[in-house]
Amino acid sequence: MLPLRTSSFALVLAVLVAAPLARAQYAADRPVGATAQQAPAWQKHAGIDQNLGRPLPLSDPWTDSAGHSVRLGDYFRDNRPVMLELMYYNCKLLCPQVLHGMAVALRESRFHAGNQYDVIVASIDPDDKPADAAAKKQHFLSMLDEPNAGDSVHFITGPQASITDLAEATGFHYVRVPGPDGKMDQFA
């Protein structure tokens, strides 16, 4: 056991060394948590612009959840409104929440898919496959709880050019971001 004098000296020395380090971490000229309150640099490129009245790229090629080649315009028929969502199918965080929210809102509207509206969910990830779209479509239909809605709910995948055209037309700005493993395989 160290004598009291040595212990006191060690404590004073530790405080003297730690005090400047603590002051370096906090500066009175910026509020506490200011760094945590700043958006990451990449986020300035993500966002939504309101492009009301801007034409959609209806002739662009896509692939539906059954693997058939389609054009975006194939789904704009019968003068029904279309609910359009851009997301990616292998998303684990926000996208499932958005799909759930859309299904709940549509269900609570008391309108019926195929009768009063159609749904298009387009992937922004060119690596998503029709099988991914099919799985998400089935899950969405189960949340929508409309047995006859399948022909009016469309989950599509497409090449980067079609994705870019649709994102630009709708004002949907997204960026690739690293996932927890550091791979650039997520979107924001």
Side-chain angles (χ1 to χ4, degrees), residues 13 30 33 71 73 79 85 94 105 109 113 121 126 137 168 172 188:
L13 183 61
R30 70 172 195 250
R71 303 264 175 216
N79 292 319
E85 176 64 43
L94 188 57
S109 76
V121 179
K137 177 180 177 176
E168 287 177 359
F172 186 79

Side-chain angles (χ1 to χ4, degrees), residues 73-139:
D74 295 346
Y75 302 120
F76 289 83
R77 58 181 189 265
D78 302 327
N79 292 319
R80 286 194 298 253
V82 173
M83 291 290 301
L84 176 65
E85 176 64 43
L86 280 71
M87 60 173 284
Y88 66 110
Y89 302 137
N90 290 306
C91 172
K92 305 286 187 251
L93 299 175
L94 188 57
C95 303
Q97 311 268 339
V98 171
L99 270 184
H100 179 264
M102 186 165 77
V104 169
L106 291 172
R107 195 172 59 234
E108 290 179 1
S109 76
R110 301 188 193 260
F111 293 123
H112 301 285
N115 187 8
Q116 285 116 343
Y117 67 91
D118 286 290
V119 175
I120 300 172
V121 179
S123 176
I124 60 171
D125 186 349
D127 294 330
D128 276 346
K129 306 291 182 227
D132 301 320
K136 287 295 180 193
K137 177 180 177 176
Q138 289 309 311
H139 180 65

Side-chain angles (χ1 to χ4, degrees), residues 170-184:
T170 59
F172 186 79
H173 305 287
Y174 63 93
V175 293
R176 279 192 183 264
V177 295
D181 59 1
K183 292 180 185 175
M184 296 293 282

